[in-house]
Amino acid sequence: ARLGDSADETAQARGFLAMALAANGNRDRALAEFRRAVPVLLSTQSSDGDEDNGRNIRSRRLRHILEAYIELLMEGLPREEAIAESFRVADAARASSVQRSLSESAARSAITDPALAALALAESATLMSMPGRVCSNGIPAPTRDPAWTAFVQEVRDASLQAYAAAKTAIYSLTKSLAL
């Protein structure tokens, strides 16, 4: 059987081609391939009838393709346009299991305030400790492992220290401008 442009398999292949093109510096063609693949991938996600394992593999592939697309957008487009498109893609993926990762990626890409970035990192640490959380490789986070718990606590502590330092810097700058 021949697959057409609207087939999920074709769209996945286009997504991987776009990733390779972007990695080789061919951004314009990569962007064009992503723009052909992403709408198909997002429209076929809820109609996927595979078993749970097949959906998990597809979700990981989709997440990698969409994250690469967002990364290319952030590198190659004007910031406002890239952020708008990133959120549009993340919003369209809302119904899938990759939505959480995409929303977080789009939000982190938009943060320019050091204090806000530190708070986002602290929130990430909280999310990393939640049962059922899946790592980017599709493997469940080892939330019951003492080493993982210690790592998450270190991330949380470091982010709160960064937040305190950013607040101090902002206060100092504000105070010096007021003089």
Side-chain angles (χ1 to χ4, degrees):
R2 188 178 148 128
L3 301 175
D5 284 345
S6 62
D8 186 68
E9 294 85 353
T10 303
Q12 284 186 38
R14 282 192 193 288
F16 289 125
L17 171 62
M19 290 169 67
L21 290 166
N24 286 318
N26 193 340
R27 291 188 171 143
D28 291 338
R29 184 156 175 233
L31 196 55
E33 292 297 336
F34 275 128
R35 286 184 171 154
R36 289 180 71 187
V38 168
V40 174
L41 291 170
L42 294 175
S43 70
T44 61
Q45 68 184 342
S46 60
S47 63
D48 190 11
D50 292 344
E51 298 176 15
D52 286 342
N53 189 40
R55 276 193 300 263
N56 189 28
I57 291 168
R58 186 191 184 284
S59 290
R60 280 187 270 158
R61 288 177 182 162
L62 178 60
R63 187 186 67 243
H64 289 300
I65 291 168
L66 295 179
E67 285 178 353
Y69 179 44
I70 289 171
E71 184 177 322
L72 181 65
L73 290 171
M74 297 309 282
E75 292 174 0
L77 293 179
R79 183 166 178 77
E80 293 77 25
E81 185 180 341
I83 290 170
E85 176 68 2
S86 295
F87 276 104
R88 188 194 66 73
V89 168
D91 188 48
R94 171 183 27 211
S96 77
S97 62
V98 300
Q99 186 274 333
R100 183 177 0 179
S101 295
L102 289 172
S103 294
E104 292 166 3
S105 179
R108 282 190 306 270
S109 296
I111 296 175
T112 58
D113 181 310
L116 185 57
L119 287 176
L121 183 58
E123 179 62 19
S124 294
T126 301
L127 294 173
M128 290 166 54
S129 63
M130 292 176 68
R133 190 70 179 182
V134 178
C135 297
S136 64
N137 61 3
I139 297 173
T143 56
R144 294 185 180 174
D145 182 341
W148 180 260
T149 304
F151 168 72
V152 170
Q153 187 60 49
E154 287 176 27
V155 170
R156 184 178 292 111
D157 292 346
S159 64
L160 293 176
Q161 288 173 359
Y163 176 69
K167 274 183 40 179
T168 300
I170 292 169
Y171 175 75
S172 296
L173 179 61
T174 305
K175 188 175 176 182
S176 69
L177 292 175
L179 296 177

